[in-house]
Amino acid sequence: MDKTSTPKRQLSMCDMISDDLSQINNQAIEKPCVTHNICADNPETENKFSSFLEWQKHNEDLLQRSVQGHHHSNVVEYNVQRAINTLSASVDKCMLDSTNKIAGMARNIDKWKTYMLQILENIRNEIDLLMLSKKKIQKAQIALNIICSISTECLERRSFRLDMDHTLDPGQVELLKERELITEIGNLFCRTLCQIEVQINRNKDTKVQLEKNWSDKHQSFQIDTINLGLNIQAPTIMSHTDVIKDSENTCLSISEWEIITKSLYEEAIQVSNESKHLRSIVDDVLKKSANRLRGQADTVDIALARFISDTQQIGQAIENDLQQVVQRLGDSEKSIADLLRVISNLEKAKKTAETRLDNRLKRPGNENVKDNAQLSLLSEVKNITESLNTLNYQLHCARTGHLGLVEARSKLEDDSRIKRKTLWIDSLRCQNIRAHYPSVNILIGQ
């Protein structure tokens, strides 16, 4: 193959040093031009001629020194070339080994950089999801405040019930249980919200550390990528005198670097898992709380509905009884009026008989006898008196019964008014306001 067609090989350290030593000898040496008058007499030089033997000796010494110089030069050139070849190969081997190690470290950095980026994305997602859970808790708290207002309104309105209707009925008991449940769930929401705040702060701190670590690794990877492209022909290389001292004083060992990186990664995974666990707890708390509140609300509504139904039945019974009492009062008043009329007639009849007896007692002398008429008048007065006594007793009983009916009517009217007020409170106020009770979806923060 022709020499001109051989491919160019990459220059090594040895190739950068030229072995052409003739360039130094070929340089022109400038000498001053001096003219001599060869014809002029010089008595001083005529008496200083060297002998021929000295001249031969001088030439032999000169040539001998030249031979020794060439030999010494050859030895030096051989040693120099050998040192160049050996040291250049060693430097090339060290540079190749450093390049491979830099490449390996770059791959390791890139691997951890990928891991850090993945866990960083997970932490960012966890922050967003926890913020969403926080909003759900806050919405649930707003709904809980509405429920608290409804329950408090019902309890306050039912405190206005009168007399015996102001009782601890099943509806009242369930309303008190609902208020206790609202307080319990409200405290649970507050504790959960505090846990979310703490976890969000932890996630943010971890995110900052991961971002800084990823940024440092990204910068280190770029630096090592630049180092992989450097060689002896690179135009950007330069001398750095203090780099070895600085490296020994400031750089961490690879084991320390791996411990720090792995510790941060494991801590980030733990924080991410804790965040996921907290989110699952939040969802579970919201669902269970919503179900408990909704279940208690249904229990309260059922108890109120039953109490309203019972109150309506009792109220209707009272109304019916009141109508009967009023009718009986009318009959009683009519009976009393009849008794009074009969008693009045009997008293007049008695007065008539007594007047007759009194007039007959005024008969003169022997005419004042106890004849049949006299006996009849006495019997009449006696019978009328007994009848009046009986009728007066019946009048007393009728009036006593009338007073009892009047009192019963008053109590029935009061109870009817109380029942109407109770029905108005429970049906028109409590049931109406409880119709605005939040749904399950609102209670879980959706």
PDB file of all heavy atoms in Angstrom, residues 158 169-171 297-313 423 426-427 430-431 434:
ATOM      1  N   ARG A 158     -86.733  23.898  70.306  1.00  0.00           N
ATOM      2  CA  ARG A 158     -87.451  22.923  71.129  1.00  0.00           C
ATOM      3  C   ARG A 158     -87.397  23.274  72.617  1.00  0.00           C
ATOM      4  O   ARG A 158     -88.171  22.742  73.409  1.00  0.00           O
ATOM      5  CB  ARG A 158     -86.863  21.525  70.914  1.00  0.00           C
ATOM      6  CG  ARG A 158     -87.043  21.022  69.512  1.00  0.00           C
ATOM      7  CD  ARG A 158     -86.690  19.567  69.365  1.00  0.00           C
ATOM      8  NE  ARG A 158     -87.895  18.740  69.344  1.00  0.00           N
ATOM      9  CZ  ARG A 158     -88.109  17.730  70.154  1.00  0.00           C
ATOM     10  NH1 ARG A 158     -87.224  17.416  71.076  1.00  0.00           N
ATOM     11  NH2 ARG A 158     -89.212  17.017  70.065  1.00  0.00           N
ATOM     12  N   ASP A 169     -87.750  13.749  75.068  1.00  0.00           N
ATOM     13  CA  ASP A 169     -88.306  12.742  74.170  1.00  0.00           C
ATOM     14  C   ASP A 169     -87.192  12.141  73.314  1.00  0.00           C
ATOM     15  O   ASP A 169     -86.057  12.636  73.320  1.00  0.00           O
ATOM     16  CB  ASP A 169     -89.373  13.383  73.279  1.00  0.00           C
ATOM     17  CG  ASP A 169     -88.814  14.534  72.475  1.00  0.00           C
ATOM     18  OD1 ASP A 169     -88.695  15.649  73.037  1.00  0.00           O
ATOM     19  OD2 ASP A 169     -88.455  14.315  71.301  1.00  0.00           O
ATOM     20  N   PRO A 170     -87.439  11.062  72.556  1.00  0.00           N
ATOM     21  CA  PRO A 170     -86.398  10.454  71.702  1.00  0.00           C
ATOM     22  C   PRO A 170     -85.774  11.428  70.714  1.00  0.00           C
ATOM     23  O   PRO A 170     -84.569  11.363  70.451  1.00  0.00           O
ATOM     24  CB  PRO A 170     -87.153   9.334  70.996  1.00  0.00           C
ATOM     25  CG  PRO A 170     -88.242   8.962  71.940  1.00  0.00           C
ATOM     26  CD  PRO A 170     -88.665  10.245  72.601  1.00  0.00           C
ATOM     27  N   GLY A 171     -86.582  12.337  70.181  1.00  0.00           N
ATOM     28  CA  GLY A 171     -86.016  13.331  69.271  1.00  0.00           C
ATOM     29  C   GLY A 171     -85.014  14.228  69.954  1.00  0.00           C
ATOM     30  O   GLY A 171     -83.947  14.547  69.412  1.00  0.00           O
ATOM     31  N   ALA A 297     -78.241  11.966  61.474  1.00  0.00           N
ATOM     32  CA  ALA A 297     -79.278  12.870  60.971  1.00  0.00           C
ATOM     33  C   ALA A 297     -80.544  12.098  60.629  1.00  0.00           C
ATOM     34  O   ALA A 297     -81.663  12.544  60.938  1.00  0.00           O
ATOM     35  CB  ALA A 297     -78.762  13.625  59.749  1.00  0.00           C
ATOM     36  N   ASP A 298     -80.398  10.944  59.990  1.00  0.00           N
ATOM     37  CA  ASP A 298     -81.578  10.112  59.693  1.00  0.00           C
ATOM     38  C   ASP A 298     -82.263   9.654  60.970  1.00  0.00           C
ATOM     39  O   ASP A 298     -83.502   9.636  61.051  1.00  0.00           O
ATOM     40  CB  ASP A 298     -81.146   8.906  58.853  1.00  0.00           C
ATOM     41  CG  ASP A 298     -80.642   9.304  57.477  1.00  0.00           C
ATOM     42  OD1 ASP A 298     -80.992  10.411  57.021  1.00  0.00           O
ATOM     43  OD2 ASP A 298     -79.887   8.515  56.864  1.00  0.00           O
ATOM     44  N   THR A 299     -81.445   9.284  61.975  1.00  0.00           N
ATOM     45  CA  THR A 299     -82.023   8.873  63.257  1.00  0.00           C
ATOM     46  C   THR A 299     -82.803  10.013  63.894  1.00  0.00           C
ATOM     47  O   THR A 299     -83.913   9.819  64.422  1.00  0.00           O
ATOM     48  CB  THR A 299     -80.917   8.390  64.202  1.00  0.00           C
ATOM     49  OG1 THR A 299     -80.182   7.335  63.594  1.00  0.00           O
ATOM     50  CG2 THR A 299     -81.500   7.898  65.511  1.00  0.00           C
ATOM     51  N   VAL A 300     -82.239  11.226  63.857  1.00  0.00           N
ATOM     52  CA  VAL A 300     -82.930  12.392  64.409  1.00  0.00           C
ATOM     53  C   VAL A 300     -84.223  12.657  63.655  1.00  0.00           C
ATOM     54  O   VAL A 300     -85.282  12.913  64.263  1.00  0.00           O
ATOM     55  CB  VAL A 300     -82.008  13.624  64.368  1.00  0.00           C
ATOM     56  CG1 VAL A 300     -82.783  14.891  64.739  1.00  0.00           C
ATOM     57  CG2 VAL A 300     -80.833  13.447  65.313  1.00  0.00           C
ATOM     58  N   ASP A 301     -84.163  12.607  62.323  1.00  0.00           N
ATOM     59  CA  ASP A 301     -85.361  12.862  61.519  1.00  0.00           C
ATOM     60  C   ASP A 301     -86.449  11.835  61.811  1.00  0.00           C
ATOM     61  O   ASP A 301     -87.639  12.188  61.909  1.00  0.00           O
ATOM     62  CB  ASP A 301     -84.985  12.844  60.030  1.00  0.00           C
ATOM     63  CG  ASP A 301     -84.076  14.002  59.650  1.00  0.00           C
ATOM     64  OD1 ASP A 301     -84.059  15.001  60.396  1.00  0.00           O
ATOM     65  OD2 ASP A 301     -83.376  13.900  58.622  1.00  0.00           O
ATOM     66  N   ILE A 302     -86.051  10.567  61.947  1.00  0.00           N
ATOM     67  CA  ILE A 302     -87.039   9.523  62.250  1.00  0.00           C
ATOM     68  C   ILE A 302     -87.653   9.751  63.626  1.00  0.00           C
ATOM     69  O   ILE A 302     -88.877   9.639  63.813  1.00  0.00           O
ATOM     70  CB  ILE A 302     -86.380   8.130  62.157  1.00  0.00           C
ATOM     71  CG1 ILE A 302     -85.998   7.821  60.704  1.00  0.00           C
ATOM     72  CG2 ILE A 302     -87.318   7.061  62.692  1.00  0.00           C
ATOM     73  CD1 ILE A 302     -85.192   6.552  60.540  1.00  0.00           C
ATOM     74  N   ALA A 303     -86.806  10.066  64.612  1.00  0.00           N
ATOM     75  CA  ALA A 303     -87.314  10.304  65.967  1.00  0.00           C
ATOM     76  C   ALA A 303     -88.243  11.506  65.996  1.00  0.00           C
ATOM     77  O   ALA A 303     -89.310  11.472  66.647  1.00  0.00           O
ATOM     78  CB  ALA A 303     -86.142  10.503  66.930  1.00  0.00           C
ATOM     79  N   LEU A 304     -87.857  12.579  65.297  1.00  0.00           N
ATOM     80  CA  LEU A 304     -88.730  13.755  65.246  1.00  0.00           C
ATOM     81  C   LEU A 304     -90.041  13.439  64.538  1.00  0.00           C
ATOM     82  O   LEU A 304     -91.117  13.882  64.980  1.00  0.00           O
ATOM     83  CB  LEU A 304     -88.009  14.903  64.536  1.00  0.00           C
ATOM     84  CG  LEU A 304     -86.924  15.629  65.327  1.00  0.00           C
ATOM     85  CD1 LEU A 304     -86.249  16.685  64.459  1.00  0.00           C
ATOM     86  CD2 LEU A 304     -87.493  16.281  66.577  1.00  0.00           C
ATOM     87  N   ALA A 305     -89.957  12.690  63.452  1.00  0.00           N
ATOM     88  CA  ALA A 305     -91.175  12.336  62.725  1.00  0.00           C
ATOM     89  C   ALA A 305     -92.107  11.496  63.593  1.00  0.00           C
ATOM     90  O   ALA A 305     -93.338  11.716  63.600  1.00  0.00           O
ATOM     91  CB  ALA A 305     -90.806  11.583  61.447  1.00  0.00           C
ATOM     92  N   ARG A 306     -91.542  10.541  64.324  1.00  0.00           N
ATOM     93  CA  ARG A 306     -92.373   9.725  65.209  1.00  0.00           C
ATOM     94  C   ARG A 306     -92.983  10.568  66.325  1.00  0.00           C
ATOM     95  O   ARG A 306     -94.159  10.407  66.657  1.00  0.00           O
ATOM     96  CB  ARG A 306     -91.533   8.595  65.801  1.00  0.00           C
ATOM     97  CG  ARG A 306     -91.179   7.509  64.798  1.00  0.00           C
ATOM     98  CD  ARG A 306     -90.303   6.446  65.443  1.00  0.00           C
ATOM     99  NE  ARG A 306     -90.008   5.372  64.478  1.00  0.00           N
ATOM    100  CZ  ARG A 306     -89.191   4.366  64.733  1.00  0.00           C
ATOM    101  NH1 ARG A 306     -88.587   4.283  65.921  1.00  0.00           N
ATOM    102  NH2 ARG A 306     -88.968   3.434  63.825  1.00  0.00           N
ATOM    103  N   PHE A 307     -92.174  11.453  66.900  1.00  0.00           N
ATOM    104  CA  PHE A 307     -92.701  12.305  67.967  1.00  0.00           C
ATOM    105  C   PHE A 307     -93.775  13.234  67.429  1.00  0.00           C
ATOM    106  O   PHE A 307     -94.790  13.485  68.108  1.00  0.00           O
ATOM    107  CB  PHE A 307     -91.567  13.110  68.593  1.00  0.00           C
ATOM    108  CG  PHE A 307     -91.985  13.930  69.759  1.00  0.00           C
ATOM    109  CD1 PHE A 307     -92.256  13.345  70.985  1.00  0.00           C
ATOM    110  CD2 PHE A 307     -92.136  15.313  69.650  1.00  0.00           C
ATOM    111  CE1 PHE A 307     -92.660  14.101  72.072  1.00  0.00           C
ATOM    112  CE2 PHE A 307     -92.533  16.071  70.730  1.00  0.00           C
ATOM    113  CZ  PHE A 307     -92.797  15.465  71.946  1.00  0.00           C
ATOM    114  N   ILE A 308     -93.584  13.747  66.233  1.00  0.00           N
ATOM    115  CA  ILE A 308     -94.601  14.597  65.615  1.00  0.00           C
ATOM    116  C   ILE A 308     -95.876  13.799  65.376  1.00  0.00           C
ATOM    117  O   ILE A 308     -96.994  14.275  65.625  1.00  0.00           O
ATOM    118  CB  ILE A 308     -94.069  15.200  64.303  1.00  0.00           C
ATOM    119  CG1 ILE A 308     -92.979  16.238  64.603  1.00  0.00           C
ATOM    120  CG2 ILE A 308     -95.183  15.836  63.492  1.00  0.00           C
ATOM    121  CD1 ILE A 308     -92.250  16.741  63.377  1.00  0.00           C
ATOM    122  N   SER A 309     -95.716  12.562  64.883  1.00  0.00           N
ATOM    123  CA  SER A 309     -96.885  11.714  64.653  1.00  0.00           C
ATOM    124  C   SER A 309     -97.617  11.427  65.968  1.00  0.00           C
ATOM    125  O   SER A 309     -98.864  11.518  66.032  1.00  0.00           O
ATOM    126  CB  SER A 309     -96.458  10.412  63.996  1.00  0.00           C
ATOM    127  OG  SER A 309     -97.565   9.542  63.815  1.00  0.00           O
ATOM    128  N   ASP A 310     -96.854  11.094  67.015  1.00  0.00           N
ATOM    129  CA  ASP A 310     -97.483  10.846  68.317  1.00  0.00           C
ATOM    130  C   ASP A 310     -98.165  12.103  68.836  1.00  0.00           C
ATOM    131  O   ASP A 310     -99.281  12.038  69.384  1.00  0.00           O
ATOM    132  CB  ASP A 310     -96.434  10.369  69.322  1.00  0.00           C
ATOM    133  CG  ASP A 310     -95.852   9.008  68.950  1.00  0.00           C
ATOM    134  OD1 ASP A 310     -96.494   8.281  68.163  1.00  0.00           O
ATOM    135  OD2 ASP A 310     -94.734   8.683  69.438  1.00  0.00           O
ATOM    136  N   THR A 311     -97.492  13.248  68.665  1.00  0.00           N
ATOM    137  CA  THR A 311     -98.077  14.501  69.130  1.00  0.00           C
ATOM    138  C   THR A 311     -99.352  14.826  68.354  1.00  0.00           C
ATOM    139  O   THR A 311    -100.345  15.312  68.940  1.00  0.00           O
ATOM    140  CB  THR A 311     -97.056  15.642  68.983  1.00  0.00           C
ATOM    141  OG1 THR A 311     -95.858  15.300  69.684  1.00  0.00           O
ATOM    142  CG2 THR A 311     -97.601  16.933  69.549  1.00  0.00           C
ATOM    143  N   GLN A 312     -99.332  14.560  67.052  1.00  0.00           N
ATOM    144  CA  GLN A 312    -100.533  14.801  66.254  1.00  0.00           C
ATOM    145  C   GLN A 312    -101.682  13.898  66.709  1.00  0.00           C
ATOM    146  O   GLN A 312    -102.840  14.354  66.811  1.00  0.00           O
ATOM    147  CB  GLN A 312    -100.228  14.566  64.780  1.00  0.00           C
ATOM    148  CG  GLN A 312     -99.372  15.654  64.152  1.00  0.00           C
ATOM    149  CD  GLN A 312     -98.991  15.331  62.721  1.00  0.00           C
ATOM    150  OE1 GLN A 312     -99.111  14.186  62.279  1.00  0.00           O
ATOM    151  NE2 GLN A 312     -98.534  16.340  61.996  1.00  0.00           N
ATOM    152  N   GLN A 313    -101.362  12.631  66.978  1.00  0.00           N
ATOM    153  CA  GLN A 313    -102.408  11.719  67.440  1.00  0.00           C
ATOM    154  C   GLN A 313    -102.971  12.166  68.788  1.00  0.00           C
ATOM    155  O   GLN A 313    -104.192  12.194  68.993  1.00  0.00           O
ATOM    156  CB  GLN A 313    -101.849  10.306  67.551  1.00  0.00           C
ATOM    157  CG  GLN A 313    -101.508   9.673  66.202  1.00  0.00           C
ATOM    158  CD  GLN A 313    -100.918   8.291  66.361  1.00  0.00           C
ATOM    159  OE1 GLN A 313    -100.781   7.783  67.473  1.00  0.00           O
ATOM    160  NE2 GLN A 313    -100.563   7.674  65.227  1.00  0.00           N
ATOM    161  N   LEU A 423     -96.068  21.029  67.765  1.00  0.00           N
ATOM    162  CA  LEU A 423     -96.107  20.638  66.349  1.00  0.00           C
ATOM    163  C   LEU A 423     -95.543  21.739  65.466  1.00  0.00           C
ATOM    164  O   LEU A 423     -94.848  21.457  64.478  1.00  0.00           O
ATOM    165  CB  LEU A 423     -97.544  20.309  65.940  1.00  0.00           C
ATOM    166  CG  LEU A 423     -98.119  19.009  66.512  1.00  0.00           C
ATOM    167  CD1 LEU A 423     -99.588  18.894  66.157  1.00  0.00           C
ATOM    168  CD2 LEU A 423     -97.342  17.813  65.990  1.00  0.00           C
ATOM    169  N   ASP A 426     -91.676  21.538  65.934  1.00  0.00           N
ATOM    170  CA  ASP A 426     -91.031  20.342  65.371  1.00  0.00           C
ATOM    171  C   ASP A 426     -91.232  20.220  63.866  1.00  0.00           C
ATOM    172  O   ASP A 426     -90.308  19.841  63.140  1.00  0.00           O
ATOM    173  CB  ASP A 426     -91.561  19.087  66.072  1.00  0.00           C
ATOM    174  CG  ASP A 426     -91.012  18.947  67.481  1.00  0.00           C
ATOM    175  OD1 ASP A 426     -90.021  19.628  67.788  1.00  0.00           O
ATOM    176  OD2 ASP A 426     -91.576  18.165  68.269  1.00  0.00           O
ATOM    177  N   SER A 427     -92.424  20.509  63.397  1.00  0.00           N
ATOM    178  CA  SER A 427     -92.699  20.295  61.975  1.00  0.00           C
ATOM    179  C   SER A 427     -92.344  21.503  61.123  1.00  0.00           C
ATOM    180  O   SER A 427     -91.620  21.388  60.129  1.00  0.00           O
ATOM    181  CB  SER A 427     -94.179  19.934  61.775  1.00  0.00           C
ATOM    182  OG  SER A 427     -95.004  20.996  62.244  1.00  0.00           O
ATOM    183  N   CYS A 430     -88.242  22.749  62.961  1.00  0.00           N
ATOM    184  CA  CYS A 430     -87.142  21.775  62.977  1.00  0.00           C
ATOM    185  C   CYS A 430     -87.068  20.994  61.671  1.00  0.00           C
ATOM    186  O   CYS A 430     -86.008  20.897  61.042  1.00  0.00           O
ATOM    187  CB  CYS A 430     -87.300  20.833  64.167  1.00  0.00           C
ATOM    188  SG  CYS A 430     -87.066  21.645  65.766  1.00  0.00           S
ATOM    189  N   GLN A 431     -88.188  20.423  61.252  1.00  0.00           N
ATOM    190  CA  GLN A 431     -88.164  19.638  60.015  1.00  0.00           C
ATOM    191  C   GLN A 431     -87.845  20.508  58.810  1.00  0.00           C
ATOM    192  O   GLN A 431     -87.160  20.071  57.882  1.00  0.00           O
ATOM    193  CB  GLN A 431     -89.500  18.929  59.820  1.00  0.00           C
ATOM    194  CG  GLN A 431     -89.664  17.690  60.684  1.00  0.00           C
ATOM    195  CD  GLN A 431     -90.888  16.903  60.305  1.00  0.00           C
ATOM    196  OE1 GLN A 431     -91.873  17.451  59.821  1.00  0.00           O
ATOM    197  NE2 GLN A 431     -90.832  15.594  60.526  1.00  0.00           N
ATOM    198  N   ARG A 434     -84.118  21.270  58.966  1.00  0.00           N
ATOM    199  CA  ARG A 434     -83.318  20.066  58.755  1.00  0.00           C
ATOM    200  C   ARG A 434     -83.416  19.572  57.321  1.00  0.00           C
ATOM    201  O   ARG A 434     -82.647  18.695  56.911  1.00  0.00           O
ATOM    202  CB  ARG A 434     -83.757  18.970  59.715  1.00  0.00           C
ATOM    203  CG  ARG A 434     -83.389  19.254  61.157  1.00  0.00           C
ATOM    204  CD  ARG A 434     -83.648  18.058  62.048  1.00  0.00           C
ATOM    205  NE  ARG A 434     -82.675  17.011  61.773  1.00  0.00           N
ATOM    206  CZ  ARG A 434     -81.450  16.958  62.271  1.00  0.00           C
ATOM    207  NH1 ARG A 434     -81.028  17.915  63.086  1.00  0.00           N
ATOM    208  NH2 ARG A 434     -80.639  15.962  61.985  1.00  0.00           N
TER     209      ARG A 434
END
